[in-house]
Amino acid sequence: MKRNWKAVCAGLAVISLLASCAGTSTAGPASQNTAQGVSVVGSSDATQGVSVSPDASQDVSVSSDSTHGVSVMSSAFSTESPAEEIPAAEVPAGPQETLEEVFKNHDAYTDTLSEWNAKAEKRKRSAWALTLTPEQEQSLIDSMNADFKKAVLEKAYEDLKNAEPWDEESLFLKALLDHDLISSDKAEAFLLARALYAKNLERALWEDIQKIVAAEKEKNPDYFPVPENPYTVEEEDSMLYESAVSDEGIMTGAAEASRSSIPEQAAQTQNAAQAKQAAQAPNADQTGYTAPDEHGTQNQDAAPPFNTAEYNVINENPFKSVSSSPLSTFSIDVDTAGYTKLKYDILDGYEIEKDEVKIEEMINYFNYDYSGSRTENEPFTISTEYTRCPWNEKHGLIRIGVLADDMQEKPATNFVIVVDVSGSMMMVNKLPLALSAYADMLEGFDGNDTISLMYYASGQDVILKNVKCDKKEEIFKGLANVLGSAGGGTYGALGLQTAYEMAEKSYAENGVNRVLIATDGDFNIGETSEGDLKGIVEEGRKKGVYLTILGYGSENLKDNKMEVMAENGNGNYHYIGDMADARKALVQESSSTLIPMADDVKIQVEFNPAFVQDYRLIGYESRILNAEDFNNDKVDAGDVGAGKSVTALYEIVPTGEEGETDIPDLKYSRTEATGDSKDLCTVAVRYKDINSGKTGSGSRLVEKAVLADDYHETPDANTALAISLAEAGMVIRDSEFKGTATLTSAEAIARAAASESGNELASSWAELLHTLIEQSE
């Protein structure tokens, strides 16, 4: 005897949905404008739901020259984004304090905020919410790559022609199309929503289609076949159980394909599914969790039931004494994930994890205009500025900027694209977003470039091998085919190993060889430890293959693993929340993300004890090197891409001020001031040419002295923006070194920097801070 199959399908659908859902401030000075305009980066149209993110649509250099800082690659071989241009935040009109006034009045900007997002309206601001409304899902789909969506739709129509006899939705839709009873636009909207895992949009569209089916059934019942149930009672029970315990609780295989309209018995099935899910995860925190309504839509105010995101612990760099440690050495870091992840946590009202706040990644999300300090006959520009420390008036700040040259000619590229298709990626703002981002990136490549495409979940498969990038139709078809392969666990190590093997087989001599992986990092099969993953990427690095990691997700984001892979695999790591983020990393800044200019870039600063007593490097905790590592070419360090700037800040205690360290007198040796030198410090940059591994050549050295007399009471707009980001980061982290730093002063500095430079990104950062201030208490 067969059971009601619709009831079982409804139960599976409910289980899948349940599992997938696994500020008062004190004003500063009277002249401060605390309500200047509407937040652009921190706002969204309530009917659309997609974060308006100028971060990804504008020039990222702090310069009045609007053409400076745009990637050469983006203008040379990238095509225009198919989505509409996203408007940028405007520098607020009206009275605006200058940088000089803001720094002079810094300590007057006071607030007592300590609970971030305490008053936030949860998860309604951006496109990166765990559960989106149908309108938000539609807006996200609208922003995706047009060619990719065309390929997805073609495959959806192909699948529709070969619909299984138990697939009610496909059978009924096919009948409507065969008899011209539905418009192609309505049918295509539904097919796209279903293929792109836009669950709530799919349900809403299907409800509308069901009304057409019901009306036409009365007139022409013979048009509509009766869906068959090929499963026995035992198979149904097995599928119901497996869907409840599968990776992230997401439906896979036939269970996903058998989705149907929710029958009257859905309420009983839903209760049973909830009970079974709770039994499978008795320790899960269900506080604030609200079950889907009769349409399967999750309450947007509800907190997600699980949060398994992981971050490495950050122990902030302490002050060091120049007398005992005159050298400070670190590897450069060009990752930007820290800023983007923080942005979405603010926009969506999430609790901000202390260790997700990586100040160097916040600072280096922005490109800075250091072109005025061009170093002759070197691929780098070294720029420095010595200025005041706003959060401690007795201290100073040294800003160090390194700007890599833009490439003059694009090299041949060999890219292996890897896609995580595990169950946890089956959401419209994960897997489909990742595939659309790859499609956008590949629009700008041609016959001199090759790609391979593979995916992994519990297993793996290769879709394309060494295909020329001018074969766009074949590539987009391959990306669309990946969608239908989703489900299962996450054997990330297997995917990585295979990708490196493929990159080695199709290695481009004198070109760029890179593995790009899109994942939430939730590796749970095979080698999953940070040590194992580090070993895999190190072996790939030794073979001359670079790595780019694109992180997706929120509750289960394994930031710690992705950071380790990026730092040890000659890699960079970016967090993607919407198509604007993807286009910033892979289109507008494609050259700096994908084309390396130098390897193993290290910075060493030697401080002169005649002027500096103590110092502290702000951020870069995971990138600290020993002093002797600087001259050791065997020690790995970060690589920097074409046109990319890297910025670091040092807080210093001038000689004669009360020290931050307590170092005993040295009995046998002591570092003394160097005669009549006026150097505050000397900045040295050591790097390898990207071909040094093939030629056997050693590293090269570039040095620049920072003069003590070259002190600026008011910093330039480049330095001011970096200071604002560092100050806010210390406040959010509740750093012991924050001094008089506040969010309101960080916002004021950002606004002044934006006003002076005309930089929209600085303005968007100020608006993001304003949003956080309003939501905190």
Side-chain angles (χ1 to χ4, degrees):
M1 180 176 179
K2 301 245 179 136
R3 186 174 300 168
N4 188 321
W5 178 237
K6 285 189 177 182
V8 175
C9 289
L12 292 170
V14 171
I15 290 174
S16 173
L17 183 63
L18 291 172
S20 68
C21 299
T24 302
S25 65
T26 311
S31 60
Q32 182 188 24
N33 186 346
T34 59
Q36 300 180 46
V38 178
S39 170
V40 175
V41 72
S43 65
S44 60
D45 184 343
T47 64
Q48 297 298 319
V50 175
S51 170
V52 181
S53 178
D55 309 50
S57 62
Q58 299 296 325
D59 173 16
V60 293
S61 65
V62 183
S63 171
S64 57
D65 179 0
S66 61
T67 63
H68 181 82
V70 177
S71 164
V72 169
M73 180 178 288
S74 79
S75 61
F77 70 100
S78 292
T79 60
E80 185 176 348
S81 166
E84 291 185 7
E85 194 73 17
I86 299 174
E90 295 183 357
V91 177
Q96 179 74 41
E97 285 195 308
T98 65
L99 281 173
E100 181 179 4
E101 291 169 332
V102 168
F103 275 83
K104 180 179 179 181
N105 300 324
H106 177 273
D107 290 356
Y109 292 89
T110 59
D111 61 53
T112 57
L113 302 174
S114 60
E115 294 185 35
W116 318 125
N117 285 331
K119 299 184 296 184
E121 190 174 9
K122 303 294 182 184
R123 297 167 50 205
K124 281 191 174 181
R125 308 181 82 91
S126 79
W128 185 245
L130 188 63
T131 305
L132 303 178
T133 65
E135 293 79 14
Q136 289 173 318
E137 290 178 335
Q138 183 63 66
S139 186
L140 187 55
I141 290 174
D142 290 343
S143 72
M144 291 182 182
N145 182 278
D147 290 322
F148 168 65
K149 288 189 292 184
K150 179 182 176 182
V152 171
L153 195 57
E154 288 175 353
K155 186 176 187 303
Y157 271 118
E158 182 181 332
D159 293 340
L160 192 66
K161 292 178 183 178
N162 304 305
E164 297 290 347
W166 39 260
D167 185 354
E168 178 184 285
E169 291 177 352
S170 294
L171 294 176
F172 287 177
L173 182 60
K174 185 175 182 295
L176 293 175
L177 287 168
D178 287 344
H179 295 89
D180 294 324
L181 300 174
I182 187 174
S183 70
S184 59
D185 288 345
K186 190 181 293 288
E188 289 176 1
F190 171 76
L191 289 172
L192 267 180
R194 183 167 68 169
L196 297 173
Y197 302 106
K199 306 290 186 180
N200 290 328
L201 176 61
E202 176 192 349
R203 291 187 184 94
L205 293 172
W206 182 247
E207 284 181 2
D208 192 29
I209 295 174
Q210 274 187 312
K211 295 175 184 177
I212 301 176
V213 171
E216 295 298 332
K217 264 188 174 181
E218 293 184 2
K219 302 176 185 177
N220 302 289
D222 294 339
Y223 287 177
F224 301 91
V226 178
E228 300 176 7
N229 176 13
Y231 299 102
T232 65
V233 172
E234 290 76 14
E235 288 173 325
E236 292 171 4
D237 287 339
S238 175
M239 290 174 64
L240 185 64
Y241 173 77
E242 289 175 1
S243 69
V245 299
S246 66
D247 177 50
E248 303 300 328
I250 305 295
M251 289 189 294
T252 61
E256 169 65 16
S258 66
R259 291 171 299 176
S260 181
S261 56
I262 299 180
E264 295 178 359
Q265 298 95 326
Q268 291 86 348
T269 306
Q270 175 178 309
N271 292 336
Q274 284 182 265
K276 179 166 284 190
Q277 186 185 39
Q280 296 298 328
N283 296 322
D285 180 11
Q286 298 292 326
T287 303
Y289 178 70
T290 303
D293 60 21
E294 67 271 19
H295 303 298
T297 302
Q298 174 77 21
N299 180 352
Q300 293 291 296
D301 291 324
F306 306 104
N307 188 337
T308 60
E310 296 176 4
Y311 302 92
N312 284 324
V313 175
I314 297 176
N315 295 312
E316 290 184 282
N317 293 324
F319 276 96
K320 290 192 173 183
S321 170
V322 175
S323 63
S324 61
S325 302
L327 298 175
S328 174
T329 311
F330 64 98
S331 163
I332 61 97
D333 189 344
V334 295
D335 296 340
T336 65
Y339 178 88
T340 319
K341 182 63 170 65
L342 177 65
K343 178 181 74 173
Y344 283 104
D345 279 353
I346 293 173
L347 298 184
D348 291 326
Y350 281 16
E351 178 182 356
I352 299 174
E353 297 276 349
K354 177 179 180 180
D355 291 320
E356 78 177 77
V357 182
K358 305 171 188 176
I359 294 176
E360 73 279 4
E361 293 186 13
M362 293 170 63
I363 292 174
N364 287 315
Y365 177 85
F366 300 81
N367 254 353
Y368 301 84
D369 180 12
Y370 298 141
S371 58
S373 305
R374 181 73 177 86
T375 305
E376 189 176 357
N377 298 323
E378 296 291 349
F380 291 109
T381 293
I382 301 178
S383 172
T384 60
E385 185 172 28
Y386 176 31
T387 187
R388 71 195 326 185
C389 177
W391 53 83
N392 191 324
E393 62 180 10
K394 295 183 179 180
H395 293 181
L397 284 177
I398 300 173
R399 187 266 297 150
I400 298 171
V402 175
L403 175 64
D405 286 350
D406 285 324
M407 64 178 181
Q408 300 303 310
E409 182 178 352
K410 182 182 73 67
T413 61
N414 164 42
F415 292 155
V416 178
I417 292 178
V418 188
V419 189
D420 176 354
V421 298
S422 61
S424 60
M425 292 286 286
M426 292 169 66
M427 298 170 60
V428 66
N429 47 15
K430 285 193 177 182
L431 177 57
L433 180 62
L435 293 169
S436 179
Y438 282 142
D440 258 8
M441 179 191 79
L442 293 169
E443 292 273 16
F445 289 81
D446 54 32
N448 292 322
D449 310 295
T450 61
I451 73 151
S452 299
L453 173 64
M454 64 165 292
Y455 66 80
Y456 69 88
S458 299
Q460 63 179 350
D461 196 10
V462 176
I463 303 297
L464 301 172
K465 285 186 179 180
N466 208 29
V467 175
K468 295 290 185 181
C469 287
D470 56 358
K471 297 181 178 179
K472 293 291 191 294
E473 187 174 346
E474 180 180 353
I475 292 171
F476 294 135
K477 183 178 179 180
L479 292 171
N481 286 336
V482 172
L483 278 171
S485 306
T490 313
Y491 200 165
L494 176 64
L496 273 174
Q497 288 171 328
T498 303
Y500 278 119
E501 292 170 2
M502 294 173 66
E504 188 176 9
K505 289 178 181 178
S506 55
Y507 195 87
E509 293 292 339
N510 300 318
V512 176
N513 300 275
R514 184 177 293 271
V515 168
L516 298 94
I517 178 170
T519 179
D520 57 15
D522 191 14
F523 300 166
N524 51 36
I525 299 176
E527 299 86 348
T528 62
S529 71
E530 292 180 26
D532 289 335
L533 298 173
K534 177 182 176 182
I536 294 172
V537 300
E538 283 181 334
E539 286 301 310
R541 184 193 76 219
K542 293 175 183 177
K543 297 174 181 178
V545 179
Y546 295 86
L547 177 66
T548 291
I549 302 174
L550 304 166
Y552 294 81
S554 174
E555 274 67 31
N556 62 337
L557 181 73
K558 298 301 183 283
D559 180 271
N560 52 343
K561 293 178 181 178
M562 290 189 273
E563 180 182 57
V564 165
M565 290 190 292
E567 290 185 355
N568 294 279
N570 268 3
N572 47 62
Y573 166 35
H574 307 273
Y575 182 81
I576 308 298
D578 59 18
M579 284 307 301
D581 294 329
R583 287 174 184 133
K584 178 181 186 296
L586 297 178
V587 179
Q588 293 161 347
E589 298 181 8
S590 53
S591 56
S592 63
T593 300
L594 304 174
I595 308 300
M597 287 295 288
D599 286 337
D600 293 343
V601 184
K602 310 168 189 174
I603 296 178
Q604 186 170 78
V605 182
E606 181 179 1
F607 293 96
N608 186 349
F611 298 105
V612 182
Q613 181 170 281
D614 303 308
Y615 65 88
R616 186 177 84 87
L617 175 61
I618 300 175
Y620 290 93
E621 284 82 4
S622 65
R623 293 287 196 168
I624 299 299
L625 298 174
N626 296 321
E628 58 269 24
D629 293 339
F630 185 71
N631 293 324
N632 186 349
D633 285 353
K634 295 181 180 180
V635 174
D636 178 58
D639 63 285
V640 60
K644 179 63 180 176
S645 67
V646 183
T647 300
L649 291 176
Y650 279 93
E651 182 177 350
I652 66 167
V653 181
T655 299
E657 295 290 346
E658 182 178 353
E660 295 285 344
T661 59
D662 186 14
I663 301 299
D665 292 336
L666 300 178
K667 184 175 182 180
Y668 298 108
S669 65
R670 184 176 181 180
T671 304
E672 301 287 355
T674 55
D676 295 329
S677 173
K678 298 297 183 181
D679 295 350
L680 184 77
C681 63
T682 296
V683 177
V685 177
R686 185 173 289 281
Y687 69 96
K688 295 177 184 175
D689 181 271
I690 57 171
N691 296 314
S692 61
K694 306 183 187 77
T695 62
S697 59
S699 62
R700 298 179 62 180
L701 178 67
V702 184
E703 293 183 318
K704 180 179 180 179
V706 180
L707 300 178
D709 292 340
D710 192 17
Y711 173 82
H712 298 152
E713 188 70 17
T714 302
D716 65 18
N718 284 298
T719 305
L721 177 57
I723 288 173
S724 172
L725 291 153
E727 179 168 3
M730 288 192 296
V731 172
I732 298 170
R733 284 189 52 80
D734 192 24
S735 168
E736 65 175 292
F737 307 108
K738 66 181 180 180
T740 62
T742 61
L743 292 184
T744 51
S745 56
E747 179 193 351
I749 294 171
R751 289 196 185 280
S755 179
E756 181 167 309
S757 65
N759 180 17
E760 292 90 351
L761 283 182
S763 184
S764 70
W765 163 240
E767 295 296 347
L768 189 65
L769 278 174
H770 192 71
T771 298
L772 181 59
I773 291 169
E774 289 187 324
Q775 294 176 172
S776 304
E777 62 181 20

